[in-house]
Amino acid sequence: MEPARSMAQRQSDTLARLANDVDCWVTSASTTGEAYLIPLSYVCYDGKIVFATLTNSLTVRNLRRAGRCRIALDGTRDVVLIEGPITLVPREQIANEIATAFLTVGFDPRQSKDDYTYLLMTPSTIRAWREENELAGREIMRDGQWLA
């Protein structure tokens, strides 16, 4: 097992993943508590995590109601869990800079025949760990502030 990373190193590694990864797992729950988990591509822009999905999807309905979101970056040996409030923006109303930044994932929801909504999450809590020896210090952001 590798030695535990410092909080500053976990922050640096998490920022690198957010800048370079393109996919995440998005969770939501129905009014009855039924959980939904879907993979979505994302981009970081101006401190927000931006993804898009079909407007009539269960995920959009659930997140609109909840007003908060939890995502996980891919992988179980380099865990990054992020939570925060979410803003839903119809594709017709998305700022051009955000839509242009989103193009890096290889998809332009504005060009789809289907109706898409952009989802903008502002991270408030981030937890990151690799192995058991990093569980104790896994929270690296709280209330939108880095702890390192």
Side-chain angles (χ1 to χ4, degrees), residues 99-116:
T100 299
F102 193 77
L103 293 175
T104 62
V105 305
F107 172 62
D108 188 351
R110 297 170 301 171
Q111 302 302 315
S112 177
K113 64 176 179 60
D114 296 314
D115 190 20
Y116 274 80

Side-chain angles (χ1 to χ4, degrees), residues 19-68:
N20 296 307
D21 289 11
V22 293
D23 296 315
C24 66
W25 291 96
V26 178
T27 61
S28 68
S30 70
T31 56
T32 61
E34 188 174 354
Y36 295 95
L37 180 68
I38 65 166
L40 291 175
S41 296
Y42 76 91
V43 66
C44 285
Y45 179 80
D46 196 26
K48 297 189 180 345
I49 299 170
V50 180
F51 38 100
T53 194
L54 294 168
T55 299
N56 65 354
S57 68
L58 290 171
T59 298
V60 167
R61 288 195 303 259
N62 291 340
L63 295 178
R64 179 176 285 121
R65 186 190 69 259
R68 295 191 57 76

Side-chain angles (χ1 to χ4, degrees), residues 79-137:
V79 176
V80 177
L81 298 176
I82 305 170
E83 298 176 44
I86 191 134
T87 302
L88 288 77
V89 181
R91 72 174 169 193
E92 298 80 19
Q93 297 174 17
I94 196 71
N96 191 54
E97 318 78 75
I98 296 172
T100 299
F102 193 77
L103 293 175
T104 62
V105 305
F107 172 62
D108 188 351
R110 297 170 301 171
Q111 302 302 315
S112 177
K113 64 176 179 60
D114 296 314
D115 190 20
Y116 274 80
T117 295
Y118 285 86
L119 302 108
L120 288 66
M121 183 226 253
T122 303
S124 61
T125 303
I126 299 179
R127 295 176 184 88
W129 71 93
R130 288 189 178 150
E131 298 287 342
E132 184 276 332
N133 64 348
E134 291 187 356
L135 286 174

